[in-house]
Amino acid sequence: MMVAESLASNNKVLKIRNLSTHYFSRRGVLKAVDRVSMDLRKQEFIGIVGESGCGKSTLAFSIMRLIQPPGKIVEGEILFNGKDLLKLKDEEMRRVRGKEIGMVFQDPMTSLDPLEKIGDQIVETIQMHEDVDKKEALEKAMKLLESVGLPGDRVNYYPHQLSGGQRQRVMIALAIALNPTLLIADEPTTALDVIVQEKIMEILEKMKREGRSIILITHDFSLAAEKSDRILIMYAGWIVEMGDSMKLVAEPLHPYTKGLIESVPDIWLARKIKTMPGFPPDLINPPPGCKFHPRCPKAKEICKREEPPLIEVNGRLVKCWLYE
Ligand SMILES: Nc1ncnc2c1ncn2[C@@H]1O[C@H](COP(=O)(O)OP(=O)(O)OP(=O)(O)O)[C@@H](O)[C@H]1O
Ligand SMILES: [Mg+2]
C-alpha cells in the first residue's frame, strides 16, 4: 500500500490543493479560482473546458505565478515535481518558467515584445536557459518557427508585421523552445484554421509521447474530447467535474457538463444545437449554494442553500448534490 502510494505520487508532475485566486476590485472580491484541487500525471494530456469567465486563464496564470494586482493567490498549494511553487523565491520561479513550465498565452501580445524582432525574442529565451551561442540559438529559432508552420525567415519580423494567427504560432514556438516538462496552452488555436490547428495539436501530442505533460485550455469541447486523456470542467471558479475524457463525454454526470456537450455543434447529424439557458454568474455576488443552480434543470431545494461536495462517482469526480 505504502509503495503503491509513493509510486502514484512520484508519477504526479503537478498537484494543486485548495487553490484560490481572487481579484480585489472596488465592487468587491471576485473569486475567479475557488478552492481548486487537481493532479496531473507525467505524460498526461488534460483539457480544461468551461464557458468564458469561469477562471481557466486565472488558474493557468496562478500555476505560472503570474497573477498581477488586483489579483492575488489567497490560499492553497501548487506542487510541481515536489516543489511548492508558491514558496519559491522570485528568482527560482523565473527559472521554472519557460524551462520547466512553458505557457502559450491566450493573448499573444502578453508575452511578445512589440519592439523586438521575433527571432531575437526566441534567441533570448533559449540563451537565458541554455549555453549556446547566438548563431546556434538563431538556427534553433528558425527550426522552431518551421515546426509550427511558419517560414524560418520570419525571425526577422516584428510582431506587428504578422497576422494574429501567425503571432499565436510564434507564441507556441516560444513556449516549446526549451522543451518544458509541463506545457500549458491557453486557447492556443483560436485564431487558426483547422489545418494549422491540427499541426499544433500534433506538436502537443508529440511532446506528450516524449514524456511531457500538457494542459490544454479551450472552449472547444470536441477538441478537448479528442485530444486529452482527462477533462476538467470549470464553472464559476469551481471544478465541477473531472475524469476520463471518453467516459465523461459518453456519460456526463454534472448537468453543466451535459449542457456543454449538448451545445456542441454536430455537423454530421446537423442536429439542432441546444443552447444552455442563462449566463455564468457574477463572481463577486455568486448565487448561494451551488453556483450553477439558477441554470440547472435538475436543481433541488438543497442546491439553493448548500455548496455541493466534490464526490467520487464511478472513478469520476463531480461536484453536485444529485449524487450525494
Ligand atoms: N485582471 C483582472 N481584474 C479583475 N478581474 C479579472 C481580471 N482577470 C480576470 N478577471 C475576472 O476573473 C474571472 C475569470 O477570468 P478568466 O480570464 O480566468 O476566465 P477564462 O475562463 O479564462 O475566460 P475566457 O474563456 O474568456 O478566456 C472573470 O470573471 C474575469 O472578469
Ligand atoms: Mg481565458
Side-chain angles (χ1 to χ4, degrees):
M1 183 65 191
M2 289 287 284
V3 175
E5 253 174 21
S6 75
L7 274 179
S9 61
N10 281 343
N11 208 3
K12 301 250 168 75
V13 172
L14 185 70
K15 228 168 150 173
I16 297 181
R17 291 292 172 269
N18 210 36
L19 181 74
S20 296
T21 303
H22 299 168
Y23 294 103
F24 297 86
S25 77
R26 222 169 297 155
R27 274 205 311 130
V29 179
L30 188 152
K31 297 180 177 174
V33 171
D34 193 9
R35 290 160 293 139
V36 159
S37 296
M38 59 166 277
D39 293 333
L40 178 68
R41 291 185 281 273
K42 184 173 156 54
Q43 213 166 15
E44 189 178 31
F45 193 139
I46 65 169
I48 301 185
V49 185
E51 285 164 294
S52 182
C54 65
K56 305 180 296 294
S57 296
T58 303
L59 176 60
F61 273 88
S62 303
I63 298 170
M64 292 294 275
R65 249 180 63 184
L66 288 172
I67 294 289
Q68 302 291 336
K72 192 176 187 314
I73 297 175
V74 294
E75 62 177 332
E77 261 184 353
I78 305 175
L79 297 168
F80 173 72
N81 284 333
K83 286 187 284 249
D84 186 345
L85 295 186
L86 300 182
K87 297 214 171 97
L88 294 187
K89 298 200 182 78
D90 290 349
E91 177 54 33
E92 294 168 317
M93 191 60 210
R94 261 196 293 279
R95 261 178 273 142
V96 169
R97 263 182 236 128
K99 180 77 192 150
E100 296 182 65
I101 310 179
M103 179 161 168
V104 181
F105 295 89
Q106 188 169 14
D107 171 11
M109 291 321 258
T110 350
S111 66
L112 292 179
D113 182 342
L115 302 176
E116 215 185 340
K117 284 185 188 162
I118 301 297
D120 293 339
Q121 302 192 39
I122 304 179
V123 164
E124 241 168 56
T125 303
I126 295 172
Q127 284 192 316
M128 204 147 55
H129 296 273
E130 285 174 11
D131 187 23
V132 291
D133 63 29
K134 180 141 192 212
K135 187 165 167 282
E136 265 177 274
L138 194 62
E139 272 163 22
K140 192 168 173 192
M142 292 174 81
K143 283 213 187 86
L144 279 163
L145 289 184
E146 280 158 16
S147 76
V148 295
L150 289 174
D153 69 1
R154 293 297 186 273
V155 287
N156 296 314
Y157 284 51
Y158 289 93
H160 72 267
Q161 294 173 307
L162 301 176
S163 73
Q166 289 168 333
R167 277 201 287 267
Q168 210 164 19
R169 283 184 271 171
V170 170
M171 290 266 310
I172 295 165
L174 261 174
I176 63 175
L178 302 164
N179 201 10
T181 313
L182 165 62
L183 181 74
I184 305 174
D186 192 356
E187 301 281 1
T189 58
T190 29
L192 305 176
D193 60 75
V194 282
I195 296 168
V196 180
Q197 166 167 305
E198 197 44 42
K199 195 168 180 122
I200 302 303
M201 287 302 138
E202 273 166 25
I203 293 173
L204 302 192
E205 288 174 314
K206 179 161 169 278
M207 287 181 73
K208 176 186 136 99
R209 283 196 298 278
E210 289 168 353
R212 312 282 144 180
S213 306
I214 315 282
I215 297 179
L216 172 69
I217 296 175
T218 178
H219 289 109
D220 186 343
F221 205 113
S222 15
L223 184 70
E226 189 187 329
K227 303 298 176 191
S228 53
D229 304 310
R230 258 189 319 145
I231 292 183
L232 240 109
I233 308 286
M234 275 191 89
Y235 187 75
W238 285 349
I239 288 179
V240 295
E241 184 163 359
M242 168 160 49
D244 178 89
S245 302
M246 307 270 254
K247 289 186 192 145
L248 188 139
V249 173
E251 192 209 348
L253 296 177
H254 200 286
Y256 180 61
T257 314
K258 275 187 197 152
L260 281 180
I261 292 175
E262 282 169 358
S263 55
V264 172
D266 188 332
I267 51 168
W268 301 113
L269 300 175
R271 72 186 151 93
K272 216 168 151 211
I273 307 162
K274 271 201 213 165
T275 47
M276 217 183 314
F279 297 98
D282 172 8
L283 294 183
I284 294 180
N285 286 304
C290 173
K291 294 189 225 180
F292 185 61
H293 87 256
R295 300 172 78 188
C296 183
K298 296 261 171 69
K300 306 185 281 187
E301 242 345 272
I302 191 167
C303 309
K304 299 175 190 164
R305 284 182 283 111
E306 279 179 59
E307 177 177 333
L310 188 69
I311 55 166
E312 196 180 326
V313 180
N314 303 332
R316 190 114 42 98
L317 286 168
V318 59
K319 191 173 173 72
C320 179
W321 282 118
L322 285 178
Y323 302 93
E324 252 296 293

